């Protein structure tokens, strides 16, 4: 009897964009933190015993956190994440423009958080850098399930990133 052959996930190209959902999560955390600082500041029992230095330090820390979160969100990578059946490629920037962060991945993407319609991945670039991506189903609903299949499947053993990953390939059925 012949052993069943395992099919690999379909080829997929998925857009990488800034996430509106992630912006709302970050914004919500900042609002809650600001509310906590205000509540702490006006708490009647302890208000008189806190020196102004603590108030300024709290507000300063919140401002730094807000600036860091804004910087993080505005500098999210934009481009494409591509799976060709044997390897992964991250293309950063607009099609036709090369970016130093673009290239084949050393390892398959590792899911950190999976909310079914949102996926947070960590990628290991060929140069050793780690890249975090927040992907949403809303960015390309027709290819979402193909992306999830590819993320959770593994390339057949003995295969590495394909040579054709550096060239754009027309693998997106919906283009």
């Amino acid at each position: 009897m012949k052993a069943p052959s395992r099919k690999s996930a379909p080829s997929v190209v998925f857009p990488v964009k800034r996430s509106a959902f992630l912006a709302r999560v970050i914004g919500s955390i900042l609002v809650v933190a600001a509310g906590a600082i205000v509540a702490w500041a006006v708490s009647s029992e302890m208000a008189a015993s806190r020196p102004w230095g603590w108030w300024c330090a709290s507000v300063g820390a919140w401002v730094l956190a807000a600036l860091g979160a804004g910087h993080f969100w505005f500098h999210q990578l934009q481009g494409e994440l591509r799976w060709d059946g044997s390897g992964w490629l991250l293309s950063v920037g607009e099609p036709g423009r090369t970016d130093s962060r673009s290239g084949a991945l050393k390892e398959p993407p590792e899911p950190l958080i999976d909310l079914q319609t949102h996926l947070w991945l960590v990628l290991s670039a060929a140069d050793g850098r780690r890249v975090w991506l927040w992907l949403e189903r809303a960015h390309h609903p027709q290819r979402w399930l193909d992306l999830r299949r590819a993320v959770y499947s593994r390339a057949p053993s003995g295969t590495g990133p394909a040579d054709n990953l550096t060239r754009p390939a027309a693998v997106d059925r919906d283009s």
Side-chain angles (χ1 to χ4, degrees):
M1 177 178 230
K2 190 176 181 182
S5 64
R6 185 176 150 169
K7 292 186 177 184
S8 68
S11 298
V12 65
V13 176
F14 198 83
V16 176
K17 301 178 183 178
R18 279 190 210 110
S19 168
F21 174 79
L22 186 58
R24 288 189 298 272
V25 168
I26 291 170
S28 298
I29 291 170
L30 289 173
V31 167
V32 168
I37 291 171
V38 169
W40 177 67
V42 298
S43 64
S44 60
E45 195 173 297
M46 301 282 283
S49 66
R50 280 189 218 97
W52 282 101
W54 284 106
W55 303 68
C56 293
S58 300
V59 171
W62 182 88
V63 167
L64 288 175
L67 290 172
H71 181 271
F72 169 78
W73 189 79
F74 279 110
H75 289 89
Q76 288 290 292
L77 295 182
Q78 297 187 65
E80 293 179 334
L81 183 61
R82 183 182 307 262
W83 163 253
D84 74 348
S86 63
W88 288 91
L89 172 74
L90 177 63
S91 299
V92 179
E94 297 177 18
R97 289 185 170 175
T98 59
D99 186 296
S100 64
R101 297 168 293 184
S102 296
L105 302 180
K106 186 168 46 172
E107 299 173 5
E110 179 185 340
L112 297 176
I113 296 176
D114 185 348
L115 302 175
Q116 301 300 310
T117 58
H118 299 85
L119 193 57
W120 190 18
L121 301 174
V122 63
L123 312 176
S124 296
D127 64 0
R129 286 182 294 170
R130 294 176 65 85
V131 177
W132 288 267
L133 297 179
W134 185 271
L135 304 175
E136 294 184 6
R137 180 179 189 266
H139 291 161
H140 200 331
Q142 299 84 2
R143 301 308 304 237
W144 180 250
L145 292 178
D146 290 341
L147 173 72
R148 288 179 52 80
R149 285 183 199 102
V151 165
Y152 285 105
S153 72
R154 295 293 176 234
S157 60
T159 62
D163 293 334
N164 66 347
L165 283 177
T166 56
R167 296 186 307 273
V171 294
D172 192 355
R173 298 183 296 239
D174 300 324
S175 300

